[in-house]
């Protein structure tokens, strides 16, 4: 696994959906996606997990904050490199290759 992509979410299911789609649509393929949900009340995980079965979703039982969410994802990531990605970010098709370069 080359890149571990960690995204911390809080009540942003529609932004996160666009974000995840942009990552999945990239030309690069050697990555994992871990979404740490900080106890969202908008059913983010229930809505997105069937749409993105390749994503590992972690549900926090409380909102632990952005930094702790990042650390929780980092603890289980297997990538050689780690990319902390905000859920409102759209990745261009060649974005991950350029990041590695």
């Amino acid at each position: 696994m080359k890149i571990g992509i960690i995204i911390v979410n809080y009540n942003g299911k529609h932004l996160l959906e666009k974000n995840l789609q942009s990552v999945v649509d990239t030309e690069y393929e050697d990555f994992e996606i871990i979404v740490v949900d900080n106890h969202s009340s908008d059913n983010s995980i229930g809505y997105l997990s069937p749409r993105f079965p390749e994503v590992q979703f972690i549900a926090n039982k409380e909102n632990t904050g952005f930094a702790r969410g990042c650390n929780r994802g980092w603890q289980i990531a297997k990538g050689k490199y780690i990319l902390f990605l905000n859920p409102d970010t759209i990745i261009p098709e060649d974005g991950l290759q350029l990041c590695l370069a």
Side-chain angles (χ1 to χ4, degrees):
M1 190 68 52
K2 191 80 166 192
I3 304 174
I5 301 171
I6 300 166
I7 305 165
V8 177
N9 177 61
Y10 180 69
N11 289 332
K13 72 178 176 185
H14 295 297
L15 288 173
L16 180 57
E17 180 179 25
K18 292 176 184 177
N19 168 277
L20 291 173
Q21 193 62 57
S22 76
V23 175
V24 170
D25 289 345
T26 61
E27 297 168 353
Y28 193 76
E29 296 179 1
D30 192 16
F31 61 84
E32 64 182 336
I33 305 171
I34 300 166
V35 172
V36 179
D37 186 78
N38 263 336
H39 198 64
S40 294
S41 60
D42 68 351
N43 192 32
S44 293
I45 293 178
Y47 176 77
L48 293 170
S49 60
R51 289 167 171 75
F52 298 96
E54 65 272 51
V55 174
Q56 183 175 356
F57 289 91
I58 300 171
N60 283 339
K61 295 183 183 192
E62 63 181 342
N63 187 342
T64 60
F66 182 75
R68 281 191 177 172
C70 287
N71 285 334
R72 184 156 187 213
W74 186 21
Q75 288 173 347
I76 63 169
K78 296 176 180 74
K80 178 179 179 182
Y81 301 103
I82 301 297
L83 173 61
F84 294 103
L85 190 61
N86 286 337
D88 61 349
T89 304
I90 302 299
I91 300 291
E93 288 180 3
D94 62 348
L96 295 178
Q97 295 94 314
L98 291 173
C99 183
L100 286 172

